[in-house]
Amino acid sequence: QVQLVESGGGSVQAGGSLRLSCAASGFTSRVYYTSYCMGWFRQAPGKERERVAIIDNSGMSIYADSVKGRFTISKDDAKNTLYLQMNSLKPEDTGMYSCASNLFHCRTFATWGQGTQVTVSS
């Protein structure tokens, strides 16, 4: 059973940077990790969950318009780890950030981590 554990959240002032990590485990072999679509999502209090960025099994990435040019999603297949580098952070980036995975496609996500809180102050 695949498990995802996020880390790297915290409090930062506007304009600062954070790097989130998502460690994945439970794959039967390393090649299965490379077959997964991985994504980062966030949810602010009182708001719906928003897809921030995804990276599919070919390495193609898609970003929400609100983070384009500031956030970068990447993964290290050797370490089964997904990253989200967040630069030029804004107060509206505040929220609970969760990583998610799904085998083969990115249309839905079957497995979710617990999340890590990001707070950006002005």
Side-chain angles (χ1 to χ4, degrees), residues 29-115:
S29 69
R30 187 172 67 85
V31 67
Y32 286 148
Y33 178 74
T34 62
S35 299
Y36 279 73
C37 177
M38 305 292 296
W40 285 100
F41 295 76
R42 68 186 180 190
Q43 187 166 21
K47 294 187 177 181
E48 292 187 355
R49 185 169 59 198
E50 173 189 20
R51 191 183 77 180
V52 175
I54 60 172
I55 183 166
D56 69 13
N57 54 13
S58 72
M60 184 182 74
S61 55
I62 301 174
Y63 296 90
D65 288 343
S66 58
V67 307
K68 281 181 182 177
R70 300 187 298 121
F71 290 13
T72 302
I73 188 171
S74 63
K75 59 178 184 171
D76 185 333
D77 292 340
K79 295 181 179 179
N80 286 359
T81 301
L82 178 73
Y83 302 100
L84 184 68
Q85 177 67 44
M86 305 186 295
N87 299 327
S88 301
L89 282 161
K90 304 175 181 180
E92 50 263 43
D93 294 319
T94 294
M96 181 66 75
Y97 283 69
S98 301
C99 67
S101 68
N102 197 68
L103 187 59
F104 298 132
H105 69 77
C106 302
R107 294 187 297 274
T108 58
F109 287 84
T111 303
W112 293 81
Q114 297 277 37

